[in-house]
Amino acid sequence: MLKLRQSALLVLLGLAGVAQAQPVWISVGDQGYQLLRKLDAGAKSRESRQLAADGRLAKGAVGETVHLVQVDEALLPKLSDSIHENLRHCGGFIVHRDLKEAQAALKGAAAPLAGLVAPSYAIDNQAAVNQLLPQLQDSNILGTIQSLSNYQNRFYTTSHGVNASNWIAAQWKQLAGNRGDVTVEQFAHASWPQKSVILTIKGTDNSAETIVLGGHLDSTVGSGTGESSRAPGADDDASGVASLTEVIRVLLAGNYQPRRTIKFMAYSAEEVGLRGSADIAKRFKQQQAKVVGALQLDMTNYQGDAQDIFLFTDYTNAAQNTFLANLAKVYLPSLKVGYSQCGYACSDHASWNAQGYAASFPFESSFNNSNPYIHSRNDTLASSGNQAKHALKFSQLALAYAVELGSDGPAAKLR
Ligand code: BES
Ligand code: ZN
């Protein structure tokens, strides 16, 4: 589709006699970049990263710095020649479809699923969203956080961790009631006993396209993660699971029927390297699942800044982040949105991002002002003031996201 439109444009430009200078994004190793600068002194590295060649970026010595540069397409044959002559290897750069894909490649993410088209991100379900939003109640979120943090811990290996997964599955099953289009399953992982929990609302006429909203159900303390260690994990991440549970409750109570399939996930084993979500995201990619978007809620109940919701810009999708900012503007105009970064793959959104899916991570504060009590026995509800008012904002944003993205049909507006 994109290619068609580009070539059509080129034909038109050609007919009009306009010079066909076409800027493209390439990734190129450091030595190739130096040669490029000789050909075009104006070429500038937009970002760079030192990494082992992974097959999706320009080849170079392992550990070589790779740069993202925008160049005129007409220069590429000359660059290729120059690299061949001077460095004695072929190519030496890779042309990316657009800046987004180039940046994903630089971060080491997989290519997006072939044929998966970006959604329109249209905001056109005001009636449904505005009817459902006021039904979200912080008292329910508070209750769920309390129940989850009452477990001694929710480690991925302990009996408590297993029980917490079973408890979430039972809660979600209760909310599902006897609706034929809603299922709850526990996703078993090969290497540890704590299962992830997945609630699915099957889409009506666009069920092959799926939206994922997730949080992690496990907890941790820095050290001594045995049966009897105390790790309440009230904010990290009972809060995220509780925010999502309240969205599930309201969507199902309102008998909302999405056109796309919506999946809510409580991941196991996040605290030990995003292992539960990595397992699931890999499986989905293998099965070529059309995941249009993934939203991660991990830590929603500790307000560390004047702004309410921070959109994390790394390991996430810029277009979907903009969509979230727009949803907040339209539906939650009193909320202030900020931007921040972890600087590393800090939560389960990164697992979806790594598989080439559009992921976002709206977070309770800026990275630097986040809850200082996490990963300790003091990550309790009391540390967030025994209330769930902050977590409610994340339920509101997540509900708007689920309904607006969930309500698009097979012939979405931009296709
Ligand atoms: N909820 C945290 C991530 C987090 C902490 C984000 C503080 C922003 C501010 C998550 O559960 C976690 O602890 N992640 C690990 C990394 C993971 C790959 C094991 C971390 O941040 O150390
Ligand atoms: Zn954590």
Side-chain angles (χ1 to χ4, degrees):
M1 187 68 175
L2 185 72
K3 266 185 192 149
L4 252 180
R5 263 194 245 131
Q6 263 179 2
S7 54
L9 184 67
L10 282 177
V11 169
L12 283 177
L13 290 173
L15 286 176
V18 179
Q20 296 182 6
Q22 180 81 0
V24 292
W25 286 101
I26 63 167
S27 54
V28 59
D30 200 42
Q31 292 175 300
Y33 177 61
Q34 302 312 327
L35 294 169
L36 170 65
R37 302 258 301 161
K38 284 187 191 158
L39 294 169
D40 175 5
K44 259 181 79 181
S45 174
R46 183 190 157 106
E47 50 192 90
S48 61
R49 183 174 155 151
Q50 200 185 20
L51 80 175
D54 69 358
R56 294 212 50 245
L57 284 168
K59 285 198 199 85
V62 168
E64 188 187 14
T65 299
V66 176
H67 302 269
L68 281 193
V69 201
Q70 194 174 37
V71 296
D72 185 345
E73 198 171 13
L75 200 68
L76 294 181
K78 285 180 214 155
L79 177 61
S80 184
D81 284 353
S82 171
I83 289 177
H84 187 65
E85 261 169 46
N86 293 285
L87 306 178
R88 312 238 158 263
H89 60 79
C90 298
F93 59 85
I94 283 180
V95 181
H96 300 279
R97 199 164 54 170
D98 51 31
L99 176 59
K100 247 183 11 201
E101 191 188 293
Q103 286 171 320
L106 199 67
K107 289 210 166 87
L113 183 72
L116 183 60
V117 180
S120 73
Y121 295 124
I123 298 180
D124 53 4
N125 290 275
Q126 267 92 345
V129 176
N130 284 326
Q131 194 219 330
L132 295 168
L133 276 181
Q135 300 177 38
L136 295 165
Q137 287 171 23
D138 55 341
S139 56
N140 292 326
I141 303 174
L142 192 73
T144 305
I145 299 177
Q146 190 62 265
S147 299
L148 283 171
S149 49
N150 281 346
Y151 285 89
Q152 183 68 8
N153 61 63
R154 300 189 304 280
F155 300 152
Y156 75 127
T157 48
T158 63
S159 65
H160 315 292
V162 168
N163 293 342
S165 162
N166 295 343
W167 182 81
I168 293 168
Q171 291 296 114
W172 287 8
K173 275 184 188 149
Q174 216 169 67
L175 294 174
N178 52 13
R179 253 176 77 162
D181 58 343
V182 183
T183 53
V184 178
E185 73 197 275
Q186 280 178 288
F187 186 107
H189 302 279
S191 311
W192 63 90
Q194 184 184 59
K195 293 171 181 160
S196 297
V197 185
I198 304 180
L199 179 142
T200 304
I201 312 177
K202 192 165 190 285
T204 52
D205 62 343
N206 195 15
S207 63
E209 295 193 339
T210 299
I211 294 156
V212 171
L213 295 93
H216 68 90
L217 74 92
D218 64 321
S219 71
T220 193
V221 282
S223 56
T225 51
E227 272 291 326
S228 59
S229 331
R230 180 73 180 122
D235 195 32
D236 187 8
D237 179 30
S239 66
V241 173
S243 291
L244 293 173
T245 300
E246 181 60 357
V247 176
I248 295 172
R249 186 189 70 78
V250 167
L251 288 183
L252 297 181
N255 201 30
Y256 173 65
Q257 287 184 295
R259 299 183 71 182
R260 289 188 170 121
T261 295
I262 303 182
K263 285 181 183 282
F264 289 88
M265 302 195 179
Y267 306 110
S268 95
E270 187 269 357
E271 297 287 7
V272 286
L274 318 179
R275 291 177 68 183
S277 58
D279 225 11
I280 294 174
K282 267 186 216 149
R283 175 88 61 89
F284 275 55
K285 183 68 182 292
Q286 270 164 9
Q287 297 176 341
Q288 307 196 328
K290 293 186 174 173
V291 177
V292 215
L295 187 80
Q296 172 71 359
L297 295 186
D298 180 5
M299 300 170 64
T300 62
N301 202 31
Y302 177 93
Q303 184 156 14
D305 289 273
Q307 295 97 318
D308 300 285
I309 291 178
F310 282 78
L311 297 172
F312 277 44
T313 56
D314 56 345
Y315 300 87
T316 58
N317 178 281
Q320 185 173 259
N321 291 342
T322 301
F323 173 55
L324 284 166
N326 289 336
L327 287 173
K329 247 184 238 156
V330 171
Y331 291 117
L332 311 163
S334 64
L335 297 192
K336 292 196 184 69
V337 171
Y339 293 87
S340 189
Q341 306 199 337
C342 272
Y344 58 99
C346 63
S347 190
D348 301 303
H349 57 288
S351 294
W352 293 101
N353 179 70
Q355 296 304 321
Y357 292 119
S360 292
F361 182 33
F363 188 74
E364 64 186 13
S365 65
S366 62
F367 182 72
N368 286 335
N369 293 331
S370 67
N371 190 334
Y373 301 107
I374 65 164
H375 300 184
S376 82
R377 60 188 302 114
N378 297 321
D379 181 6
T380 58
L381 254 178
S383 301
S384 299
N386 286 313
Q387 49 76 43
K389 294 245 182 302
H390 199 49
L392 177 65
K393 302 166 192 169
F394 292 81
S395 293
Q396 293 167 335
L397 184 64
L399 181 136
Y401 172 85
V403 173
E404 284 291 4
L405 213 49
S407 298
D408 290 326
K413 291 116 213 153
L414 285 190
R415 276 180 279 162

